[in-house]
Amino acid sequence: MKIGCMLESFAIDLKEAVKRAASLGCEGIQAYAVSGELAPKNMTDATVKEWLDRVKSHGMVFSAICGTLSPHPTP
């Protein structure tokens, strides 16, 4: 069984949360992608590649992405 964690549960910068998850031995991460840094509207091809490279360089994968299917007001 692979162990993963949600990045936002660390309550720190997401890039630092990736490092923290790796240091705890997590093999997968889950991220909140409705608003904030990882929201689709804030991502470009370059930032997608950057995030994938960052996660892979720590030996992990994105195991889940949190989204919403209901109308959601944007801040």
Side-chain angles (χ1 to χ4, degrees):
M1 174 173 55
K2 292 187 178 185
I3 297 174
C5 62
M6 187 158 188
L7 290 180
E8 290 78 7
S9 67
F10 293 107
I12 58 176
D13 175 77
L14 293 180
K15 293 174 181 83
E16 291 301 314
V18 170
K19 294 176 189 176
R20 180 82 50 89
S23 75
L24 293 173
C26 294
E27 298 176 32
I29 57 171
Q30 180 176 332
Y32 184 72
V34 175
S35 61
E37 187 175 351
L38 297 176
K41 69 178 183 177
N42 298 327
M43 300 293 282
T44 64
D45 289 346
T47 55
V48 169
K49 182 178 181 340
E50 176 186 315
W51 272 98
L52 287 174
D53 289 348
R54 177 178 292 114
V55 172
K56 287 179 182 180
S57 75
H58 286 89
M60 297 184 296
V61 298
F62 277 101
S63 56
I65 300 291
C66 295
T68 183
L69 299 175
S70 64
H72 193 281
T74 54

